[in-house]
C-alpha cells in the first residue's frame, strides 16, 4: 500500500547527504538524499563513508557520522514549530547534536549505555559499544547518566565523560585516553570541513595541552605558621563565603580537619518561556549530586 505523503508528519529535512547512507521507513530501506524529508519513526544509518546532516522544524540540528545508526521519535506541538517530545536513540557511531527552540525538557537522547539531558546544548557523542558511550560538551550543559544511576553534568567546553561497564560515569583516565578518544570517535573535532555552516561550532581548546581533562583534585592543607588571611582557590562552585577571623583559641578554617569533598556542580534553574502552542507547566527538576564509582579517571576502550 502506498501511503499518501501528506499523512506522514515531516519533522525535518536532510540538508546534506553523502553516499553510504540509508533511511528505513515502514520496514523499507531507501537511499538518503539532500532535500529529503524525515519523519518520526525513521531509522537512519551510514556505512564507513556515509555522512548525513539534518535540520529539524524546531531548528535542532544533527550530524550523523560514519558507521552510525539513529532512530528518531519526535512529536510536534500544534503549529509544527516546536517539539513536545524529541527523543533520539543513538545506537552506534559518532554524532553532533545541537538543540533547537523546543523546551529543554522535551529532549531525550539515549544510547545503549546512557541517557543524556540537554540544557540548551551543543555536544558530540560516540557510541563505542553497547557497554560504553562517550560525550564531549561544546556549548551549554549536558547531564549524562549511566545504567546504574551514576550521573555527571558539565557546562565546561571540551569536557568529556563516558560510561563504564559497571554502569557508572566518569572522565578519561588521563590526557592520552582523552586524545586517543578524540582521534577514534569524534571526527567532527578533528575536522569540520565536511559540515555545513549550521553545524559548525567553535572547538578550539578541545585538543592538546589546553584540553580540560585533568581531574579537579581537592585542595590539601599545608602546615604553615602564618598567612591567616590566606584564601583557598578551588575550581568548584559555592565555596563557603566565610571570611571572618576565627575566635581566639579555635583553629582557623584552613587548619580544621574536616573531610575533603568535591562540591556537586550547580546548574542554573531553567527559565522556560511560556509555550503558546500548548500550555504546559514545567515542574523544576531536582539536580542530583554527581556520583562517581571511584576517584580515578575512567578508561575509555577506544579500540572497540
Amino acid at each position: 500500500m502506498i501511503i499518501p505523503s501528506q499523512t506522514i508528519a515531516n519533522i525535518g529535512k536532510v540538508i546534506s547527504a553523502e553516499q553510504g547512507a540509508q533511511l528505513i521507513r515502514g520496514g523499507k530501506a531507501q537511499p538518503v538524499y539532500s532535500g529529503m524529508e524525515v519523519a518520526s519513526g525513521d531509522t537512519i544509518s551510514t556505512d564507513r563513508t556515509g555522512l548525513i546532516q539534518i535540520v529539524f522544524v524546531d531548528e535542532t540540528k544533527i550530524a550523523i557520522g560514519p558507521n552510525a545508526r539513529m532512530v528518531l521519535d519526535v512529536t510536534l506541538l500544534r503549529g509544527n514549530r516546536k517539539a513536545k517530545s524529541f527523543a533520539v536513540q543513538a545506537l552506534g557511531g559518532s554524532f553532533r547534536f545541537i538543540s533547537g527552540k523546543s523546551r529543554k525538557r522535551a529532549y531525550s537522547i539515549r544510547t545503549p549505555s546512557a541517557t543524556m539531558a540537554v540544557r540548551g546544548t551543543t555536544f558530540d557523542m560516540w557510541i563505542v559499544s553497547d557497554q560504553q558511550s562517550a560525550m564531549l560538551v561544546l556549548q551549554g550543559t549536558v547531564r549524562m547518566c549511566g545504567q546504574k544511576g551514576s550521573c555527571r553534568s558539565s557546562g565546561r567546553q571540551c569536557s568529556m565523560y563516558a560510561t563504564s561497564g559497571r554502569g557508572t560515569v566518569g572522565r578519561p583516565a588521563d590526557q592520552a585516553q582523552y586524545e586517543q578518544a578524540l582521534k577514534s570517535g569524534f571526527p567532527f573535532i578533528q575536522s569540520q570541513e565536511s559540515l555545513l555552516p549550521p553545524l559548525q561550532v567553535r572547538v578550539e581548546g578541545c585538543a592538546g595541552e589546553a584540553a580540560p581533562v585533568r581531574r579537579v583534585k581537592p585542595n590539601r592543607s599545608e602546615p604553615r605558621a602564618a598567612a591567616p588571611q590566606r584564601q583557598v582557590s578551588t575550581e568548584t562552585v559555592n565555596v563557603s563565603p566565610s571570611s571572618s577571623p576565627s575566635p581566639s583559641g579555635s583553629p582557623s578554617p584552613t587548619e580544621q580537619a574536616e573531610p575533603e569533598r568535591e562540591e556537586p556542580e550547580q546548574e542554573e534553574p531553567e527559565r522556560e518561556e511560556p509555550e503558546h502552542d500548548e500550555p504546559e507547566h514545567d515542574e523544576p527538576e531536582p539536580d542530583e549530586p554527581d556520583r562517581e564509582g571511584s576517584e580515578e579517571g575512567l578508561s575509555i576502550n577506544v579500540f572497540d
Side-chain angles (χ1 to χ4, degrees), residues 114-160:
T115 59
M116 280 162 276
V118 304
R119 302 287 189 269
T121 308
T122 299
F123 67 98
D124 287 6
M125 56 182 168
W126 174 30
I127 316 307
V128 187
S129 66
D130 288 345
Q131 289 76 40
Q132 190 169 56
S133 304
M135 73 167 185
L136 184 74
V137 180
L138 299 175
Q139 294 175 2
T141 302
V142 188
R143 186 172 187 82
M144 185 181 205
C145 296
Q147 293 178 332
K148 297 295 181 63
S150 172
C151 296
R152 297 299 303 268
S153 61
S154 178
R156 189 178 183 187
Q157 187 183 30
C158 303
S159 58
M160 183 186 297

Side-chain angles (χ1 to χ4, degrees), residues 9-86:
N10 297 314
I11 58 174
K13 181 179 292 187
V14 177
I15 60 173
S16 177
E18 296 184 7
Q19 291 184 351
Q22 68 173 7
L23 179 147
I24 301 175
R25 179 181 297 167
K28 295 184 177 181
Q30 54 186 305
V32 179
Y33 56 88
S34 182
M36 184 180 193
E37 293 181 327
V38 296
S40 184
D42 287 349
T43 298
I44 301 173
S45 61
T46 60
D47 61 16
R48 62 186 182 86
T49 63
L51 173 62
I52 304 172
Q53 301 173 64
I54 306 173
V55 175
F56 294 85
V57 294
D58 70 338
E59 297 185 16
T60 295
K61 305 169 187 68
I62 296 179
I64 304 174
N67 297 318
R69 187 164 176 258
M70 174 176 282
V71 180
L72 303 173
D73 184 5
V74 179
T75 302
L76 299 178
L77 292 168
R78 290 194 302 267
N80 293 341
R81 294 181 295 108
K82 296 181 180 180
K84 181 177 182 180
S85 172
F86 198 113

